[in-house]
Amino acid sequence: MVDFAQARQNMVDCQLRTNRITDPAVIEAFSTVPREAFVDDIHRSVAYADEDLPIGGGRFLMEPMVFARLVQALDISGSDIVLDIGCGTGYSAAILACLSATVVALESNSDLVTRATRTLAENSVDNAVVIEAPLVDGYAGQGPYGVICIEGAIPEVPEKLLGQLSEGGRLAAVLNQGPGPGNAILMVKKYGAISSRNLFDANIAHLPEFERRPGFVF
């Protein structure tokens, strides 16, 4: 039988701390939230592996190291309202809820919405709400947001999402337009303008809704 508490500690010590995760609040969040509760039974034994894990519907939980580095780069404060795009089964929302005031967890797959809502409640996460809506549109009704985190690789960040950042707001995502590794970026809104900087290379599963559709060929 898997000792999940020990597996979680091994993840923190061997995957996070060895990859520049130093923020005590981030380490505490990843040390506390039971990742095994957010995966299918068949994947519980490998819940803390350093890889993306399938959660159904062609979707994946992002590997812990990449997600942790994105979260640390976002520099989340206890007063931030966070938009979590593509929350899947709710693991990312549970982590973000440990660090922020409120999480709006956006998910377009109705089965995942039901599952995330149930699992967050079962784990007493009371400052996150799961909303069913198209991922590419964000959720302006609860914005603007101090933080936006995108839970999968995308080809580019839609302007509609950048428009939902508050002044001083931060957005983290992995951009990938081809078959090779993607690039994690941090975008910041300051004085109404958006700046961007590269963080690190990352190879994670794509969010299908963000994929570009082929244009017409004349």
Side-chain angles (χ1 to χ4, degrees), residues 85-120:
I85 296 179
C87 74
T89 56
Y91 177 73
S92 55
I95 292 287
L96 295 166
C98 292
L99 303 166
S100 63
T102 303
V103 177
V104 177
L106 196 64
E107 180 50 61
S108 58
N109 181 306
S110 58
D111 290 338
L112 292 177
V113 168
T114 299
R115 186 171 168 188
T117 300
R118 181 184 68 246
T119 309
L120 288 169

Side-chain angles (χ1 to χ4, degrees), residues 68-88:
R69 291 190 70 178
L70 291 177
V71 171
Q72 180 169 263
L74 285 165
D75 192 23
I76 302 169
S77 76
S79 61
D80 278 323
I81 298 175
V82 178
L83 178 61
D84 185 30
I85 296 179
C87 74

